[in-house]
Amino acid sequence: MAVVATAFGLLALFSSAHPILDPDMWWHIDVGEAIWQHRSVHFVDQLSFTNPKVWVNSQWLSEAVFAKVNELFGIMGLEFFSLLLKVAAFLIVFATMRANPLTKVWLTILFAFGALPVMGGARPQLFSFLFIALIALTIHRARQSAGFQGKSQNASFYAPIAFILLPTLFALWANIHSFYFLAFVLFALAIFADWTNERMGWQPVIGSVFRKQVAILLAFCFFAIFITPFGWHSAKQVFVNIVQSSQLPIEEWKPVTQMRHPLVVIWSFLLLIWIFCLAWSPKRPDALEIFWMAFATLNSMTGVRMTALWCLLAAPFISDHISQWMSRSERLKSHPEAPQWLPKLTVALLAFLASLIMAVKFLPDEFSKRERKEYPQGAVTWAIEHDLKGNCLTRYDWGGYVAWQTKNRLKVFVDGRADFYPMKVMRDFIAAYYGKSNWHKILKRYSVNIVMVSPDAPIANLLALKSDEWRLVYRDKIAVIFLRRAFAVSPQSQPTKPQTVT
């Protein structure tokens, strides 16, 4: 009954954030459609004009899945699929916890709420969060088994089937998303933590046999991650992505301490709960809790989207502390048992709430309203109607949307693939969009003949002053379109005056 209540609670919670229409979702679909079209991952990139080469795509499989789901069920179906992935990840967290059912329910929903702002929409990282939750469940189950036996029996934990399943998971993961390297770190920290517990006399200790088996498994998994269409280049591209993203002003890679967002308050509150548990819980933290939580906290401090990882890893540890408090409280005084009808009523109410929220949020009108609010829907429609083609500079978070909606007739300067574009291209884009001193030369060097940006974008104000070279042809509350006057287009693409939509 508790797991059903948790599932409905998570559905209600995550549904409340939809429709998300993540900016990266559009180019994920576009790339996935290209994979199905070419029946290959080795093709010259079709979204952009600034880096015409084959992209070493470490998440091609998830993009192929997204494209197929979108083809079969549309954007709403794809968003619902992403919703199920998030729910599944935290149901695994629920299964990992050791506490009474009610505590597990509210803790799971609380930490899902902490991860809510950064889990995003239909993105490959959702698969990674699901797999990380599975890895954490595996380690915790091994520790629980050792704890039940008292002192370590130094017995084998992993069955032979694990030498097939785990490398297979890593081989699959290496083609779905780049976060598999986090699993290597978590396993390595688990080995070191078990050794530390043994040396310090802490519990639980699984034993040296477990540690050797996990080390051998990791060796198999290491070779498994090279089973991709790109071989070792795929793993190399993961580190390129990490390095480049950390050097760019991308919102989700900002340290959590540099953001003015409710997320910071939520995460700080959860962090304080953990610190409070460390200080006053009857249960003393062991090496694994210290190592994993230090690693997760450091990641959250350096990149805000890693707060989801923190929530996935922190919840089971905090549930252990709270269960210790609860058991001590129950020994001191007795509590009346809850009526038998109460759990059923709770499940019914949560099911009703989840159904109501999904019925309201997953409506075509809601998706259209969100799209009109967040993206240049009107400008793109105008460009399609006027058969506009060419090199387009648009916002970083609009790039995938513009390319996909125009069927790549508009090639964009950049989109959300920070690992695909050379640093020079990214710096040139930032300089052009924000109107740095060399913006004019950059547009000429890259042969940009279309600019589709927000009306208040710095580049829009500068182009309005260059009326001898650029012409405003479309304007609404969300976007403006400028065309280079020397740009040869069909007559219908050259209106006598700009079209303004209110």
Side-chain angles (χ1 to χ4, degrees), residues 6 10 13 90 93-94 97-115 269-270 273-274 277 311-312 314-323 325-326:
T6 305
L10 291 171
L13 174 67
F90 275 92
V93 172
F94 173 88
M97 292 181 183
R98 291 188 302 172
N100 67 62
L102 180 60
T103 302
K104 291 170 66 174
V105 171
W106 71 260
L107 269 179
T108 302
I109 295 176
L110 175 65
F111 280 85
F113 179 69
F269 171 71
L270 295 176
I273 290 178
W274 178 61
C277 288
C311 291
L312 289 167
F317 292 119
I318 292 178
S319 76
D320 283 347
H321 290 290
I322 291 177
S323 66
W325 265 316
M326 298 288 288

Side-chain angles (χ1 to χ4, degrees), residues 428-453:
D428 285 344
F429 165 75
I430 293 171
Y433 185 85
Y434 289 101
K436 304 300 181 182
S437 59
N438 58 339
W439 70 270
H440 193 256
K441 294 179 181 178
I442 292 172
L443 295 187
K444 280 189 174 181
R445 187 192 322 142
Y446 287 96
S447 300
V448 174
N449 40 44
I450 305 162
V451 175
M452 183 188 299
V453 293

Side-chain angles (χ1 to χ4, degrees), residues 357-402:
I357 293 175
M358 285 191 289
V360 172
K361 291 290 187 175
F362 283 84
L363 288 173
D365 288 347
E366 284 294 315
F367 279 74
S368 297
K369 187 189 303 181
R370 185 64 177 262
E371 185 178 349
R372 288 194 301 270
K373 180 181 177 181
E374 301 289 339
Y375 297 99
Q377 186 186 56
V380 167
T381 301
W382 185 92
I384 294 172
E385 290 174 350
H386 290 78
D387 195 27
L388 208 60
K389 301 176 183 177
N391 296 343
C392 176
L393 183 142
T394 188
R395 276 174 40 171
Y396 177 81
D397 55 342
W398 286 359
Y401 178 84
V402 171

Side-chain angles (χ1 to χ4, degrees), residues 118-429:
V118 294
M119 291 199 81
R123 297 179 62 176
Q125 67 181 16
L126 296 181
F127 289 102
S128 282
F129 292 141
L130 179 66
F131 295 156
I132 287 170
L134 278 172
I135 296 298
L137 173 64
T138 302
I139 299 297
H140 279 284
R141 285 289 169 85
R143 284 158 51 81
Q144 290 166 16
S145 177
F148 292 145
Q149 296 174 11
K151 291 188 176 181
S152 169
Q153 304 299 310
N154 212 19
S156 172
F157 169 74
Y158 281 102
I161 191 65
F163 285 87
I164 298 175
L165 292 180
L166 200 61
T168 301
L169 173 64
F170 273 83
L172 182 68
W173 201 344
N175 291 278
I176 287 179
H177 191 238
S178 58
F179 275 8
Y180 57 84
F181 73 91
L182 293 173
F184 281 107
V185 177
L186 294 178
F187 269 120
L189 289 175
I191 294 172
F192 185 53
D194 194 69
W195 177 84
T196 303
N197 283 349
E198 190 173 59
R199 293 294 299 270
M200 300 296 294
W202 297 343
Q203 291 295 327
V205 176
I206 309 176
S208 60
V209 172
F210 165 82
R211 297 195 292 269
K212 290 175 183 176
Q213 287 181 337
V214 173
I216 295 171
L217 268 172
L218 288 183
F220 279 93
C221 293
F222 176 77
F223 290 106
I225 65 173
F226 299 112
I227 305 175
T228 76
F230 304 100
W232 70 274
H233 293 283
S234 182
K236 181 187 75 173
Q237 196 66 22
V238 171
F239 292 98
V240 172
N241 187 11
I242 295 171
V243 172
Q244 291 202 175
S245 298
S246 63
Q247 298 177 22
L248 296 170
I250 299 174
E251 190 75 10
E252 65 184 0
W253 285 106
K254 287 182 178 179
V256 69
T257 52
Q258 293 184 11
M259 294 192 68
R260 295 181 178 179
H261 190 278
L263 164 67
V264 179
V265 178
I266 298 169
W267 181 75
S268 300
F269 171 71
L270 295 176
L271 182 63
L272 286 174
I273 290 178
W274 178 61
I275 294 172
F276 180 84
C277 288
L278 290 182
W280 287 284
S281 168
K283 177 187 179 297
R284 296 296 89 187
D286 74 316
L288 185 74
E289 180 176 356
I290 294 170
F291 294 164
W292 272 16
M293 291 303 295
F295 174 68
T297 304
L298 179 63
N299 273 274
S300 298
M301 298 291 284
T302 55
V304 68
R305 72 170 174 173
M306 288 302 183
T307 54
L309 170 72
W310 191 93
C311 291
L312 289 167
L313 296 180
F317 292 119
I318 292 178
S319 76
D320 283 347
H321 290 290
I322 291 177
S323 66
Q324 289 284 335
W325 265 316
M326 298 288 288
S327 62
R328 174 174 289 188
S329 174
E330 288 170 359
R331 287 195 298 267
L332 294 176
K333 54 184 177 180
S334 60
H335 300 276
E337 290 187 6
Q340 292 184 356
W341 52 264
L342 185 59
K344 295 179 181 178
L345 177 62
T346 303
V347 169
L349 290 175
L350 286 172
F352 174 75
L353 179 63
S355 301
L356 181 63
I357 293 175
M358 285 191 289
V360 172
K361 291 290 187 175
F362 283 84
L363 288 173
D365 288 347
E366 284 294 315
F367 279 74
S368 297
K369 187 189 303 181
R370 185 64 177 262
E371 185 178 349
R372 288 194 301 270
K373 180 181 177 181
E374 301 289 339
Y375 297 99
Q377 186 186 56
V380 167
T381 301
W382 185 92
I384 294 172
E385 290 174 350
H386 290 78
D387 195 27
L388 208 60
K389 301 176 183 177
N391 296 343
C392 176
L393 183 142
T394 188
R395 276 174 40 171
Y396 177 81
D397 55 342
W398 286 359
Y401 178 84
V402 171
W404 182 66
Q405 291 285 15
T406 63
K407 305 299 182 186
N408 300 305
R409 287 192 290 269
L410 292 183
K411 303 285 187 180
V412 296
F413 202 109
V414 296
D415 46 63
R417 297 171 295 169
D419 62 320
F420 173 63
Y421 298 98
M423 281 301 298
K424 184 181 187 318
V425 170
M426 296 299 295
R427 292 193 184 99
D428 285 344
F429 165 75

